[in-house]
Amino acid sequence: MTANTYVGAVDQGTTGTRFIVFDHEGQVVANAYEKHEQIYPEPGWVEHDPMEIWENTKDVIRQALGQAGISPDQLEAIGVTNQRETTLLWDADSGRPVHNAIVWQDRRTTDRVEQLEEDNLVETIRDKTGLEADAYFSATKAEWLLDNADPIKLERSRPEDIHDRAAKGEVLFGTIDSWLIYNLTGEHITEVTNASRTMLYNIHDLAWDDDLLAEFDIPEAMLPEVRPSSDDETYGTTDPDGFLEAEVPVAGALGDQQAALFGQTCFDAGDAKNTYGTGSFFLMNTGSEAVESDHGLLTTIGFQRSGEEVQYALEGSIFITGAAIEWLEDMSLIDNPAQTAELARSVDSTDGVYVVPAFTGLGAPHWDQRARGTIVGMTRGTRKEHVVRATLESIAYQTRDVAEAMEADSGIEMRSLKVDGGAVKNNFLCQLQSDIIGSEIVRPVVDETTALGSAYAAGLAVGYWSDPDELRSNWQVDAEFEPKMAPETADKRYDRWSEAVERSRDWARDGEE
């Protein structure tokens, strides 16, 4: 069954869309990627064009299959993984979005979140959803879209029609997984991990929450059906008359960070991983218990297989890590990301410079929407090498912020951390991370673990892989990094980092952006 068949994964990220084909050993057989436009209508606003994302998705699927000479009917299943929290509404009749998607990084609803704080709803939201009240999540984005989407795009004359039609299920709400599943299968479906990031889903009752829907005035009729992350019944199949010209089951989906947890085979309580992408996301599996955080972490759903209990996770969401490297490029301090290691190694230290890349506020464990990017400690002798090294160090320090909170909440001392994402190809960063965090860093051979996780979820659902033990046997170590820095040196630098973070906080105020 598996000799000449494969599982494909759509990995729809913040900056682009990838399709990867995996074989039964979990090895990459084909890989295609397309970037999409980042749209910034106003300061702090970030949007994507959903139609561009869908067109790119079709393109990368065709490209990857073509590269490897694989026909669509050799795909046993397709899995989907996606940038989480990014939100869109679309017309059920035409399938057209009513507005650009509002990206997870977008801060346009900060005032609304502050209103929630004034209304003493923060604890209620945390108790029900495991999340902090923050513009990061989908609820306030969906509310804004319902209030502000252009009625012309719906070919209707009055803005109220969007609410009216949403109440009838004629305008649909979704995160990017729902949008892709809808376009692949025609079904309006999400799964538990993405639902858990909307700030509308009760992670204990495993249902959309009536009180939260009422607070944000979001009609239940517009919401997708919530299914397991790995679904034996499948979400549907691709249209044999559509772009693939084949009927392929779409059988698994996970938000990108939970997909990486699954792809790193973190199936047991206490297993942890950190993914270094646009931001960094540190997750620890807590098993069937939803552990409440006292240290600024999120309680979220890790994954669910058909017929099994939900597995929960603690998460530390760091908004800007890889994006800080892109910022260095934007500022012409580097020509490409590969230069960062060379430049950082060329100096012994940052010479007292600290970069806090709070470009869209601070995430876990600080949760300060009004923090902004800050550089402290510069002198006339500061060179770009110091700033580049300080930027790399900021990634390691932010991860330690989360690691310390994770250990305090879970009571588990972390001795080893599995890492993945584009930045972990940088050996200098991996060693630095090990030094700052004081534990072993383990990098796998297949570092596309986000796509791999969604492929595993889909493949398990259709019997391509028999059980999680088979997946564990696929997992192989590429490199391990042990701490070399004296702990007291790491602690001293980390304490100084904490002071720099304080200087970035509460900077952006209304009218002063």
Side-chain angles (χ1 to χ4, degrees), residues 124-130 192 195-196 200-212 220 226-227 288 290 299-301 304 309-310 312:
T124 299
I125 288 169
R126 187 183 294 123
D127 289 346
K128 289 172 178 283
T129 70
V192 289
S196 77
L200 298 169
Y201 189 73
N202 190 310
I203 63 170
H204 310 287
D205 298 342
L206 302 181
W208 298 114
D209 190 89
D210 291 339
D211 294 337
L212 294 175
E220 189 166 5
V226 184
R227 303 277 283 275
S288 57
T299 305
T300 196
I301 293 176
Q304 183 185 29
E309 288 186 316
V310 158
Y312 292 95

Side-chain angles (χ1 to χ4, degrees), residues 42-322:
E42 295 186 26
W45 294 29
V46 192
E47 297 179 357
H48 292 157
D49 177 353
M51 293 307 299
E52 182 187 11
I53 286 173
W54 171 236
E55 291 302 321
N56 285 356
T57 300
K58 291 188 288 185
D59 287 347
V60 294
I61 292 173
R62 292 190 196 102
Q63 288 171 33
L65 294 176
Q67 284 169 16
I70 294 169
S71 78
D73 57 16
Q74 287 177 271
L75 293 177
E76 294 282 349
I78 292 173
V80 173
T81 182
N82 57 288
Q83 52 168 318
R84 303 173 305 170
E85 299 94 19
T86 296
T87 303
L88 69 153
L89 309 183
W90 66 93
D91 187 297
D93 292 340
S94 67
R96 302 286 302 183
V98 306
H99 191 277
N100 283 334
I102 302 180
V103 179
W104 58 273
Q105 299 160 312
D106 189 281
R107 310 311 295 177
R108 75 186 65 183
T109 59
T110 293
D111 290 346
R112 176 66 171 109
V113 170
E114 289 173 347
Q115 183 63 52
L116 295 172
E117 294 167 357
E118 290 175 21
D119 293 343
N120 297 314
L121 288 171
V122 171
E123 283 301 321
T124 299
I125 288 169
R126 187 183 294 123
D127 289 346
K128 289 172 178 283
T129 70
L131 307 177
E132 294 290 326
D134 196 273
Y136 174 35
F137 304 109
S138 304
T140 59
K141 301 180 195 301
E143 181 184 43
W144 188 96
L145 285 167
L146 283 168
D147 289 342
N148 293 279
D150 185 352
I152 294 172
K153 291 195 177 183
L154 284 171
E155 299 178 355
R156 296 294 189 274
S157 60
R158 295 177 299 114
E160 296 91 310
D161 282 344
I162 296 177
H163 272 284
D164 294 344
R165 297 191 72 219
K168 299 174 190 172
E170 295 173 2
V171 172
L172 304 179
F173 159 91
T175 42
I176 295 292
D177 62 308
S178 298
W179 171 243
L180 294 178
I181 292 168
Y182 179 85
N183 280 287
L184 286 165
T185 70
E187 303 294 333
H188 189 212
I189 284 169
T190 189
E191 53 74 52
V192 289
T193 71
N194 276 291
S196 77
R197 310 297 296 192
T198 61
M199 216 162 75
L200 298 169
Y201 189 73
N202 190 310
I203 63 170
H204 310 287
D205 298 342
L206 302 181
W208 298 114
D209 190 89
D210 291 339
D211 294 337
L212 294 175
L213 294 180
E215 172 63 31
F216 297 107
D217 197 16
I218 294 174
E220 189 166 5
M222 73 187 306
L223 299 175
E225 178 188 356
V226 184
R227 303 277 283 275
S229 316
S230 176
D231 192 348
D232 294 353
E233 294 182 14
T234 82
Y235 308 140
T237 62
T238 58
D239 184 351
D241 297 322
F243 78 101
L244 262 186
E245 298 182 344
E247 211 166 0
V248 182
V250 180
L254 295 134
D256 52 9
Q257 303 313 318
Q258 286 92 337
L261 190 76
F262 208 77
Q264 288 274 35
T265 66
C266 295
F267 301 137
D268 298 325
D271 289 347
K273 70 89 199 176
N274 193 27
T275 297
Y276 300 77
T278 301
S280 282
F281 299 87
F282 192 139
L283 271 73
M284 177 184 283
N285 185 331
T286 62
S288 57
E289 181 186 2
V291 175
E292 291 186 17
S293 174
D294 296 320
H295 298 86
L297 302 179
L298 306 177
T299 305
T300 196
I301 293 176
F303 56 86
Q304 183 185 29
R305 293 184 61 204
S306 290
E308 296 188 4
E309 288 186 316
V310 158
Q311 296 287 296
Y312 292 95
L314 279 170
E315 174 175 333
S317 307
I318 303 167
F319 294 159
I320 300 290
T321 53

Side-chain angles (χ1 to χ4, degrees), residues 402-477:
V402 171
E404 295 204 343
M406 196 79 71
E407 290 183 351
D409 278 330
S410 68
I412 299 170
E413 183 182 353
M414 191 187 59
R415 299 185 184 280
S416 180
L417 178 64
K418 293 179 176 179
V419 298
D420 56 72
V424 304
K425 295 178 176 70
N426 184 328
N427 286 344
F428 179 85
L429 176 61
C430 288
Q431 183 58 56
L432 183 66
Q433 185 66 86
S434 178
D435 289 341
I436 296 298
I437 209 171
S439 69
E440 178 187 52
I441 298 295
V442 183
R443 183 175 67 201
V445 170
V446 177
D447 61 2
E448 295 287 358
T449 51
T450 302
L452 183 60
S454 66
Y456 279 166
L460 283 169
V462 300
Y464 185 74
W465 291 288
S466 57
D467 55 42
D469 285 337
E470 192 174 7
L471 305 183
R472 285 189 182 96
S473 67
N474 282 347
W475 193 86
Q476 297 173 353
V477 173

